[in-house]
């Protein structure tokens, strides 16, 4: 894990938050919701994983919060901010925990992140619409979280290795 000093921290947070925001925008252009409502690729999670593995947990949390709030105002609404931030923070919390116990690969951490992002959003949705029956949608969201988590984890693994090789901080 790389240690950043002073203004370097702000610059990396800004660059990574912007990259995550761009991924969120690109993801909003891909109509996966047409097939199954609520399903997304999770491209911005690549940035969260990169931040977690390269710079540490606090960077991952900060980037998720910044990206979620800005993306919500630009591409969504207050409800999308609440859903995204709940899923994003739960996802990062679980990924930080699994990385810390050091028993899972980056792909395993990503899978857990994808699954728990969906679980966090499902819990908020159940309370928001006061319908506990939404838990029936859980298996679909868990399966999509696993599939997307594998994909994002494999991409993240390649990116983290490349960044570690070519970027000297």
């Amino acid at each position: 894990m790389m240690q950043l000093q002073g203004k370097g921290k702000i610059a990396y947070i800004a660059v990574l938050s912007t990259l995550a925001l761009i991924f969120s925008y690109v993801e909003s252009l891909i109509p996966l919701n047409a097939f199954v409502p609520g399903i997304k690729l999770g491209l911005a999670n690549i940035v969260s994983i990169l931040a977690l593995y390269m710079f540490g947990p606090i960077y991952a949390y900060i980037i998720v919060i910044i990206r979620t709030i800005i993306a919500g105002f630009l591409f969504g609404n207050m409800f999308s901010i609440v859903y995204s931030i709940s899923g994003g923070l739960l996802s990062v919390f679980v990924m930080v925990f699994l990385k810390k116990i050091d028993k899972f690969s980056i792909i395993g951490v990503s899978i857990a992140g994808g699954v728990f992002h969906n679980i966090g959003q499902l819990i908020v949705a159940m309370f928001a619409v006061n319908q506990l029956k939404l838990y029936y949608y859980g298996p679909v969201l868990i399966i999509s979280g696993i599939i997307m988590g594998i994909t994002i984890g494999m991409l993240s693994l390649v990116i983290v290795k490349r960044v570690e090789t070519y970027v000297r901080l």
Side-chain angles (χ1 to χ4, degrees), residues 80-102:
S80 65
I81 292 172
V82 171
Y83 288 126
S84 292
I85 210 156
S86 62
L89 290 177
L90 180 60
S91 171
V92 171
F93 177 79
V94 169
M95 290 191 300
V96 167
F97 175 75
L98 293 179
K99 181 182 180 293
K100 192 172 278 191
I101 63 172
D102 204 28

Side-chain angles (χ1 to χ4, degrees), residues 16-73:
L16 291 175
S17 296
T18 303
L19 183 59
L21 189 59
I22 291 167
F23 285 163
S24 291
Y25 174 69
V26 168
E27 192 171 274
S28 74
L29 300 174
I30 302 169
L32 288 180
N33 281 354
F35 303 110
V36 182
I39 302 297
K40 290 188 172 186
L41 292 174
L43 296 175
N45 199 38
I46 294 170
V47 179
S48 301
I49 293 170
L50 177 66
L52 175 62
Y53 277 84
M54 298 296 297
F55 306 115
I58 193 72
Y59 286 87
Y61 284 115
I62 291 169
I63 289 164
V64 164
I65 292 168
I66 291 170
R67 187 225 9 120
T68 301
I69 292 171
I70 295 173
F73 284 120

Side-chain angles (χ1 to χ4, degrees), residues 36-39 111 114-126 131-147:
V36 182
I39 302 297
I111 292 168
V115 168
F116 278 91
H117 189 280
N118 290 345
I119 289 172
Q121 288 186 329
L122 182 61
I123 290 168
V124 168
M126 287 183 342
Q131 284 290 324
L132 296 179
K133 291 181 182 177
L134 286 177
Y135 73 88
Y136 287 117
Y137 195 49
V140 173
L141 292 176
I142 289 171
I143 291 168
S144 75
I146 291 169
I147 292 168

Side-chain angles (χ1 to χ4, degrees), residues 157-168:
L157 179 63
V158 171
I159 292 168
V160 167
K161 285 183 177 183
R162 295 274 171 112
V163 170
E164 285 177 339
T165 303
Y166 294 110
V167 176
R168 303 285 182 234

